[in-house]
Amino acid sequence: MRSVLASAPAKVNLALRVGPPRLAGFHPLDTVFEALDIFDDVEATSVSDSSVTLSISGLGEDLPVDSRNLAVSAALLLQERFAVPTGVALRITKRIPVAGGMAGGSADAAATLVACNKLWNLDLSTDQLMELGAELGSDVPFCILGSLAHGTGRGEVLRPLKVGVMHSWVILTQRQGLSTPEVFREFDSLMDYVRIPETLVPDTQDLQEALEDSDLEAVGRLMVNDLEQPAFVVRPDIREVLRAAQEYGIRAIMSGSGPTVAVLADDFSTADAIAGKLSRQFPELTVLRANGPAAGAHVQVVR
Ligand code: C5P
């Protein structure tokens, strides 16, 4: 085998509840992830020496291609942990917005883990890959698992949810991304933890039930993102986009740490119509159509 092509999905958080920082600076989360059918592809080709190299096409051509890139870190992690003697040339075709709150970097790490697992005949299970993924970033395990899941810890402790109906989404992405640590720092400075005992931090139980019951009205009512307010402080324009998007579909929400805004629509054709209207209303934004829940990271082609 010389080359393996693998793909991994973007995610949206239908709910993102954030607690006070602990766990070595990380914030405990109670979140519901949904994988969307916007995939990054990673082609992993074996090389004769031990080098790990990366090239990127599509979005993200300005991203670093050394170990600052999660895809390179993922390949190096497997190579070191399992004493793999050979290297790999990675080629990413990027479709997930960069620094958009949709786990684009994590998806690249997830696809790289899955591709190199196959290329190097490591035979690691999905659970083992998810455990390794958690060492790279909080969202990597979900990008491997895909579909619909409840996440706790820093987002890496996952419980799959039963999938009901398909969800049709309209995704509004900004040219300028947003730094996740910066949004979490702003969250800390806005919160008054003294007045909010930990036991009162709300969970996502009702939303999980609404999803499993395919009750889209209730899903819309229960969607929530605790990082919206801090993200608005860093980027006031997100509030305007979210307010305008709220006029459409069942409910609009900021995805993850932003700045991407996601609109949940009633069905496929309504979402198509909303996408058309929003792209006319916001010519400076990129408007995408997506459906979920989508598959987790998987091998596409081996040759
Ligand atoms: O895990 P990941 O690399 O995606 O996290 C990026 C940064 O986001 C972390 O270094 C941390 O500053 C912040 N973060 C956090 N709490 C989480 C997840 C991320 O504070 N649960």
Side-chain angles (χ1 to χ4, degrees):
M1 171 191 333
R2 280 208 64 248
S3 195
V4 176
L5 180 71
S7 301
K11 61 87 183 168
V12 62
N13 302 82
L14 288 105
L16 182 51
R17 313 277 9 197
V18 183
R22 37 190 158 109
L23 307 168
F26 276 87
H27 296 73
L29 305 181
D30 191 316
T31 185
V32 174
F33 290 109
E34 176 167 339
L36 300 182
D37 62 353
I38 302 171
F39 290 93
D40 276 2
D41 297 338
V42 174
E43 186 181 36
T45 304
S46 51
V47 293
S48 48
D49 60 13
S50 62
S51 63
V52 173
T53 59
L54 172 64
S55 62
I56 304 174
S57 61
L59 302 174
E61 277 164 338
D62 300 334
L63 287 172
V65 291
D66 56 20
S67 60
R68 287 170 297 168
N69 192 300
L70 271 192
V72 173
S73 312
L76 289 171
L77 177 65
L78 285 184
Q79 196 187 37
E80 283 162 21
R81 195 68 52 89
F82 300 97
V84 178
T86 52
V88 64
L90 301 168
R91 207 174 65 190
I92 299 180
T93 304
K94 201 149 187 44
R95 304 183 188 91
I96 305 172
V98 176
M102 299 189 78
S106 301
D108 298 346
T112 302
L113 289 175
V114 166
C116 290
N117 181 41
K118 187 84 182 163
L119 186 75
W120 291 333
N121 296 314
L122 298 175
D123 262 342
L124 300 167
S125 67
T126 301
D127 280 350
Q128 285 173 304
L129 290 172
M130 285 167 63
E131 231 168 82
L132 287 160
E135 294 182 33
L136 296 162
S138 313
D139 292 335
V140 180
F142 178 71
C143 290
I144 294 173
L145 182 67
S147 195
L148 200 60
H150 177 219
T152 49
R154 50 192 176 86
E156 88 289 15
V157 181
L158 297 169
R159 188 176 61 83
L161 297 175
K162 201 173 74 200
V163 174
V165 287
M166 187 190 86
H167 300 154
S168 302
W169 293 91
V170 180
I171 306 292
L172 293 108
T173 77
Q174 310 251 2
R175 204 161 297 145
Q176 183 76 36
L178 200 49
S179 149
T180 301
E182 191 180 353
V183 175
F184 274 108
R185 274 198 301 277
E186 196 56 49
F187 172 86
D188 290 345
S189 64
L190 286 181
M191 291 296 283
D192 185 353
Y193 297 124
V194 182
R195 287 191 295 121
I196 304 179
E198 235 164 75
T199 47
L200 289 188
V201 173
D203 62 33
T204 61
Q205 188 59 41
D206 291 348
L207 175 66
Q208 293 169 47
E209 282 165 22
L211 283 163
E212 297 202 314
D213 292 345
S214 298
D215 182 349
L216 280 191
E217 280 311 320
V219 168
R221 205 171 50 247
L222 294 163
M223 281 162 63
V224 58
N225 184 347
D226 289 341
L227 294 182
E228 279 176 356
Q229 294 306 323
F232 294 165
V233 175
V234 186
R235 286 273 296 276
D237 56 313
I238 302 172
R239 189 198 293 273
E240 303 314 314
V241 175
L242 190 57
R243 190 176 291 155
Q246 214 61 266
E247 301 295 315
Y248 301 97
I250 297 170
R251 180 78 192 277
I253 197 168
M254 189 184 80
S255 179
S257 56
T260 299
V261 165
V263 184
L264 177 64
D266 286 282
D267 53 39
F268 202 93
S269 54
T270 313
D272 285 348
I274 293 172
K277 285 182 195 152
L278 282 170
S279 38
R280 282 189 291 279
Q281 192 170 341
F282 292 102
E284 72 283 14
L285 303 183
T286 301
V287 179
L288 306 171
R289 266 284 284 113
N291 301 306
H298 56 282
V299 168
Q300 300 262 21
V301 183
V302 178
R303 53 175 173 258

